[in-house]
Amino acid sequence: MAHIADVTFNLLFDGLAYGMILFIISVGLSVTMGLMGFVNLAHGAFAMAGGFVTVTLVGKLGMPFLPALLLASVVVGAASVPFERLLYRRLYKAGELDQVLMSVGLVLIAGAAFTFVYGPAPQALKLPAALDGPVTVFGQSLSAYRLFMVAVGFLLIAALWFAFERTGVGARVRAAVDNRRMAQSLGIDVDLLFTLTFALGSGLAALGGGLAVDITGLTPAFAVQYLVFFLIVVAVGGLGSLKGAFVAALLLGIIDNAGKYLYPEGGGYFIYAATMLLLLLRPAGLYGRG
Amino acid sequence: MAAADSAVTFLTERHRWHWSEALPWIVAVGCFFVFPGYLAFGAQILIAILFALSLDLILGYAGIVTLGHAAFFGAGAYTAGLLAARLGWSEPLSCLVLGAVAAAALGFVSGWFLLRYAGLTLLMLTLAAAVLLSEFANAQADITGGFDGVTGIEMWPLFGVFNYDLYGHTNYVYALATLFAVFLAARRIVHSPFGQALIGIRENTNRMRAIGSPVHRRLVTVYTISAGMAGIAGALFAETNAFVTLDVLSFQRSAAVLVMLIFGGTGRLYGAFFGAAIYMLLEHNLAKLNPQFWEFGLGAALVLTVLFARRGLLGLVEDFGARFRSAPS
Amino acid sequence: MSGVALQTAGLCKSFGAIQVAVDIDFALESGARHALIGPNGAGKTSFVNLLTGALRPSAGRVMLHGEDVTALDQIARARRGIARTFQINQLFRGLSVLENVCLAVAERIGACGELWRPMGRQRAVIAEAMALLEEVRLAGDAAKPVKQLAYGRQRLVELAIALGQRPKVLLLDEPAAGVPSAESHIILDAVDRLPADIAVLMIEHDMALVFRFAKLVTVMVAGAVLTQGAPDEIAADPRVRAVYLGGAHV
């Protein structure tokens, strides 16, 4: 009996940690899709970039893990700005198909570029001693790293919630998501808002990517491999909804993790069946509008 | 009134064959004689054209954006492959037909549910459905062979007479004849009043509802037909390659056929010919040389196409032709 | 044919707390020339959407020629003879003018279920569409892609598509909206020439057009019917003037 409780707890905890990564990576996509209405299949490429930059900073330059993570986020977030200005901006008014095609093109370019520089093998990342190994909490032996991830996830949602609900900038973003034209006529610089939000989303994705290296592994195929998952988090959660992305990511993480453990032969497809069912019943997602 | 008459004539004569439509077929037949060493690859190009053609019907004409079209290709491939390898029924034409039927049935059922949605939701649903099917096929490894796939497909001679030689003569002609037959059907459909209604749905779905068009029924119909055609392409793939792996259901395949059609140009049927042929040729030659170079080039070509040549190669040809005609002489 | 073509009884529609239709009893007679006026936000377009089936009511009924069509969707009602035009053009922009109207005619007679024989063989459809274009004086533009036309002429195509449905009830949502005053007469002329047996309801702000066209005017305010009467009665009604805050056009 105690054994089942243990297994369940571990499954939930691992799934939670995995879900946190999905949240951290996908939250940026949810906000930009809700704000710009842009179907960005290349979002995972920014996560991937974050992972690779973190690996290089830690592995080649000997930087400590946490500062490397933060620096990688800032670097990737900043680097995403020219992409937004030069490429994405031109297709804001275009249909889904054009946006899908362009972002697929970007993912291919990213995959090729990273394979060229880093090779196709999975990247190794040495965790700092403080985060490596187990930690005992409430009599349970848990991975310190996963605990760290869960903590980061909660901190992030709290910080984002505060930023969106309690600051002026956040209010402007929410206004623009709700009704772009009205926001513009109120004098809100929507263009600048788009760029900042895009950079923030990409930076967060990079953070998630850096965190993911030790959990999911990192190869140049990462962006394509997890593409469907990021889209599921966003679609199931509802575009532009922080709460939605959080709930959907955690659900997805837990269900996928549990599925793979309980049915290693074929647990992979539960998540897609669940997604389809949910979208058929609630096309706008759990917390989406319209 | 001259202008009115020309408008009427244009409509009544539009479906007539134009001499330039013979060109792709002349080229295809010519390749049989000019490139006898490449017929196996040539058959694969023809299969890709057929697959892209099926997508053009729903994407180019009806405006249905899907990221999961490989599901139907794979359904046809596995049906034909399993019939031949597991059930010992290797008659090529009947396997082709059964592959088409299986894919069409899948298209009908999925379309009936999914085509009630549009935009991002539909995109997600088609993607999820295809991935679901792919994972399901992976899980049923005892039937599908899982990662290793279905091998040992040996088709009986075509019509009981034509054997399959090492050079692929029979397969090439088989693929070409099938492509021609399916193309004829597709051409009929797009020139019919039904085809016109599809364009109307693409251009303004709400107005079509307002004029009383049974939009959902029209969409499910074309989706089913398109799925059947994709199934034919898949079955041909199984029969000519003698093996089927999970890759036939993959997102990569769905994305590739989408890219082929965009490169060629949507909504004109012949875009599929251009796009698929060029994509396959480039992939065959460049991917061998340097896979990263191919992947990078493909991505870059895609971005450039979307930004600057949105109507694809056919669009560029048309623009060039228009400028040529309007230039002072 | 006399009698009531389109009728509502106690029609209500709310979006959460917002009520766009409040207990509307309305009747459109056969052969009517009926105008619906009211300030912005009065719910006129929502009412048309309720009539066509694009919106489902929260309560009440819609009757077409005596048949209760409340449960029917937009497509079913269109097939029973209700046509509408939109305030902002809803055209098939990639197609020619003739093709735009052909679609309406072809769908009406059920020709679009034909997958095999070419559209070119549908001589009757093409001839009827052409005749319609002559009616609205658009025949010269038949071959032009619709997006190349001036806005006023596009508005005529908008009308021609609805006429292609050979409707018994025609709902026009501000047919002259957005048309430069230099071109608006072509719309007005086309509306004048509408067949006498069609019941026509027109939403309009332009009072000159209302006076020219309507035998009966209904005034709608905040989702409810304020009053109804002949145009000159309505123009003289102090409540209507008040609602329009001085009634600039009257």
Side-chain angles (χ1 to χ4, degrees), chain B residues 141-264:
Chain B
D142 44 348
I143 300 180
T144 63
F147 184 74
D148 299 319
V150 179
T151 54
I153 301 172
E154 273 180 46
M155 304 311 293
W156 301 338
L158 195 56
F159 299 120
V161 170
F162 299 104
N163 270 300
Y164 304 99
D165 62 340
L166 273 171
Y167 294 98
H169 289 99
T170 314
N171 275 333
Y172 187 86
V173 175
Y174 178 32
L176 184 56
T178 308
L179 173 61
F180 187 66
V182 173
F183 174 78
L184 285 181
R187 194 177 181 284
R188 277 269 170 178
I189 291 172
V190 304
H191 280 122
S192 70
F194 177 79
Q196 194 75 349
L198 292 179
I199 297 177
I201 293 173
R202 181 193 76 210
E203 292 287 311
N204 197 327
T205 315
N206 277 331
R207 195 64 202 264
M208 285 302 276
R209 289 203 185 91
I211 66 175
S213 174
V215 168
H216 183 253
R217 197 191 330 155
R218 304 248 181 273
L219 289 179
V220 174
T221 307
V222 72
Y223 199 69
T224 306
I225 294 173
S226 164
M229 289 180 177
I232 292 178
L236 264 180
F237 180 89
E239 294 182 14
T240 55
N241 281 307
F243 69 85
V244 180
T245 58
L246 286 173
D247 155 80
V248 297
L249 289 166
S250 66
F251 170 70
Q252 279 78 357
R253 191 167 291 269
S254 291
V257 70
L258 186 56
V259 170
M260 285 182 209
L261 191 59
I262 296 299
F263 279 164

Side-chain angles (χ1 to χ4, degrees), chain A residues 171-228:
Chain A
R172 289 200 259 286
V173 172
R174 278 184 293 123
V177 172
D178 219 46
N179 190 329
R180 186 190 314 179
R181 220 175 275 158
M182 187 59 86
Q184 264 172 325
S185 62
L186 287 176
I188 295 177
D189 187 343
V190 170
D191 282 348
L192 184 61
L193 216 54
F194 280 11
T195 307
L196 287 176
T197 314
F198 192 83
L200 178 68
S202 310
L204 284 174
L207 180 69
L211 285 170
V213 178
D214 197 66
I215 301 279
T216 62
L218 178 67
T219 69
F222 181 83
V224 176
Q225 254 179 306
Y226 287 91
L227 166 64
V228 184

Side-chain angles (χ1 to χ4, degrees), chain A residues 98 101 105 109 115 272 280, chain B residues 117 131-132 292 296 299 302 310:
Chain A
D98 288 22
L101 291 169
I109 292 176
T115 309
Y272 306 108
L280 288 174
Chain B
Y117 305 87
V131 176
L132 179 59
Q292 273 77 61
F296 189 92
L302 198 49
R310 184 56 188 84

Side-chain angles (χ1 to χ4, degrees), chain B residues 14 191 203 212-213 218, chain C residues 79 90 94 99 107 119 158:
Chain B
R14 192 165 50 178
H191 280 122
E203 292 287 311
S213 174
R218 304 248 181 273
Chain C
R79 299 204 81 85
Q90 294 295 327
E99 285 173 301
E107 280 288 1
M119 182 73 185
E158 176 76 12

Side-chain angles (χ1 to χ4, degrees), chain B residues 21 23 32 38 97 127 139 142 174 205 224 263 282 288 301 307 310 312 315 324:
Chain B
E21 295 189 67
L23 291 175
F32 182 78
Y38 293 95
V97 168
L127 178 59
D142 44 348
Y174 178 32
T205 315
T224 306
F263 279 164
L282 285 176
K288 254 188 324 201
L307 291 178
R310 184 56 188 84
F324 188 69

Side-chain angles (χ1 to χ4, degrees), chain B residues 25 46-61 69 178-187 190 226 229-230 233 257 260-261 268-273 276:
Chain B
W25 307 106
L46 295 174
I47 291 172
I49 293 175
L50 180 48
F51 189 29
L53 201 63
S54 75
L55 184 64
D56 202 17
L57 270 188
I58 54 175
L59 179 67
Y61 286 90
H69 207 51
T178 308
L179 173 61
F180 187 66
V182 173
F183 174 78
L184 285 181
R187 194 177 181 284
V190 304
S226 164
M229 289 180 177
V257 70
M260 285 182 209
L261 191 59
R268 266 95 105 235
L269 291 188
Y270 288 102
F273 287 75

Side-chain angles (χ1 to χ4, degrees), chain C residues 28-213:
Chain C
L28 186 68
E29 305 279 331
S30 298
R33 293 294 182 263
H34 197 142
L36 180 63
I37 67 174
N40 280 322
K44 306 188 292 294
T45 299
S46 300
F47 181 60
V48 169
N49 286 333
L50 285 164
L51 289 176
T52 59
L55 265 184
R56 285 300 166 90
S58 314
R61 296 188 301 148
V62 179
M63 272 125 354
L64 179 63
H65 300 303
E67 181 196 358
D68 190 332
V69 295
T70 322
L72 296 181
D73 67 358
Q74 201 185 167
I75 296 170
R77 291 191 208 181
R79 299 204 81 85
R80 276 169 174 67
I82 302 185
R84 72 162 299 171
T85 63
F86 292 82
Q87 191 178 337
I88 301 177
N89 280 336
Q90 294 295 327
L91 305 171
F92 304 107
R93 295 186 62 81
L95 297 177
S96 70
V97 171
L98 181 58
E99 285 173 301
N100 268 259
V101 182
C102 276
L103 263 178
V105 176
E107 280 288 1
R108 187 192 83 231
I109 69 174
C112 288
E114 170 72 55
L115 275 92
W116 193 251
R117 273 167 303 145
M119 182 73 185
R121 292 243 197 282
Q122 297 282 343
R123 304 289 171 138
V125 167
I126 299 174
E128 185 182 333
M130 208 57 223
L132 257 170
L133 287 179
E134 309 244 345
E135 269 285 313
V136 295
R137 314 274 194 266
L138 268 180
D141 290 328
K144 281 215 195 116
V146 114
K147 53 189 171 202
Q148 279 179 17
L149 293 182
Y151 194 80
R153 300 186 80 73
Q154 285 186 5
R155 215 82 188 100
L156 271 183
V157 180
E158 176 76 12
L159 181 62
I161 295 174
L163 291 176
Q165 295 172 250
R166 288 249 199 98
K168 305 192 197 71
V169 172
L170 180 60
L171 310 172
L172 303 174
D173 197 342
E174 298 191 44
V179 178
S181 42
E183 296 170 46
S184 55
H185 65 277
I186 55 176
I187 310 288
L188 308 187
D189 289 343
V191 172
D192 279 344
R193 282 196 308 277
L194 290 172
D197 56 337
I198 301 183
V200 183
L201 176 67
M202 181 194 297
I203 299 178
E204 245 320 320
H205 280 299
D206 186 341
M207 281 316 201
L209 184 52
V210 171
F211 267 90
R212 176 167 161 174
F213 157 82

